[in-house]
Amino acid sequence: MKSLWRRLNSALSKSAFWRARGESERRTLAIAALIVLLMLAFQLIYKPITTSVKSLRAQTQLQAQQLASLRVQITARAQSLAMQPDVNMPSLSDGMSLPAVLEGALTEAGFKSALKKIEPLSDASVRIELGGVNFDALVTTLESLAKNKGVTVKELSLDAIAPSTVSARITFSR
């Protein structure tokens, strides 16, 4: 610290302003300059970082709330569809297997590229995994499958990827 002070004092000693000041005044000015520099560093570096962190935390909380809301909505909708008795419930047409019907319906809905896995669990049950699908389009497709193909959702797990975009694991049964 003393060598820094000596270098600063040597560099500034050539200035008329600095030479006109006494030793104690020079030290006071140097300390004041250091304080101003620290305040400037706080304003330009530390404060923006902490503000960004607070903003990201708030966004994360909002997205967690949205995800919880989406899960409640889809669960309620799936339960209401399961409770509705449909006398004219269609069956799987043309003798197609449940995995084939699901793959065809998902391809028709535009989810072919998002389809990660189709796993038959039994003759009447299939588990699929979808990545990066629009939530609203997924709900519409699930309703269509229940209404037009007689395929119901047995289990559903959703993970939010982005606003209105989810990753889904769905177990279907007929």
Side-chain angles (χ1 to χ4, degrees):
M1 179 76 176
K2 288 194 179 217
S3 68
L4 177 65
W5 174 251
R6 285 185 190 142
R7 278 192 238 151
L8 181 63
N9 199 14
S10 171
L12 292 174
S13 66
K14 296 174 183 153
S15 160
F17 172 81
W18 197 254
R19 278 183 286 159
R21 306 291 170 249
E23 184 67 25
S24 67
E25 192 176 2
R26 289 179 192 167
R27 284 189 184 187
T28 303
L29 286 172
I31 291 171
L34 180 64
I35 290 171
V36 167
L37 184 63
L38 289 174
M39 289 173 46
L40 186 62
F42 173 80
Q43 288 293 325
L44 295 177
I45 298 169
Y46 181 76
K47 193 172 180 181
I49 290 173
T50 57
T51 303
S52 295
V53 167
K54 287 179 184 177
S55 173
L56 288 173
R57 283 186 179 146
Q59 286 177 357
T60 302
Q61 285 180 337
L62 177 64
Q63 288 179 346
Q65 290 171 349
Q66 288 174 341
L67 175 61
S69 172
L70 290 174
R71 284 184 173 160
V72 168
Q73 289 175 10
I74 193 72
T75 302
R77 185 66 180 149
Q79 287 175 349
S80 73
L81 287 174
M83 298 298 245
Q84 293 176 354
D86 191 353
V87 178
N88 298 322
M89 177 71 83
S91 61
L92 294 175
S93 57
D94 301 330
M96 294 174 62
S97 67
L98 183 57
V101 170
L102 289 173
E103 186 172 0
L106 294 172
T107 300
E108 184 179 309
F111 295 146
K112 181 68 174 175
S113 61
L115 185 59
K116 292 182 177 179
K117 181 178 173 183
I118 296 181
E119 178 184 354
L121 301 175
S122 68
D123 288 340
S125 183
V126 173
R127 180 180 301 134
I128 66 163
E129 288 186 28
L130 297 168
V133 296
N134 180 282
F135 175 76
D136 295 328
L138 178 62
V139 170
T140 303
T141 303
L142 295 178
E143 288 176 346
S144 174
L145 279 168
K147 186 176 180 182
N148 300 328
K149 304 288 185 184
V151 177
T152 59
V153 175
K154 188 175 175 184
E155 291 179 19
L156 175 68
S157 175
L158 299 172
D159 295 314
I161 296 173
S164 298
T165 305
V166 295
S167 172
R169 286 166 303 290
I170 309 167
T171 302
F172 293 97
S173 63
R174 51 170 142 168

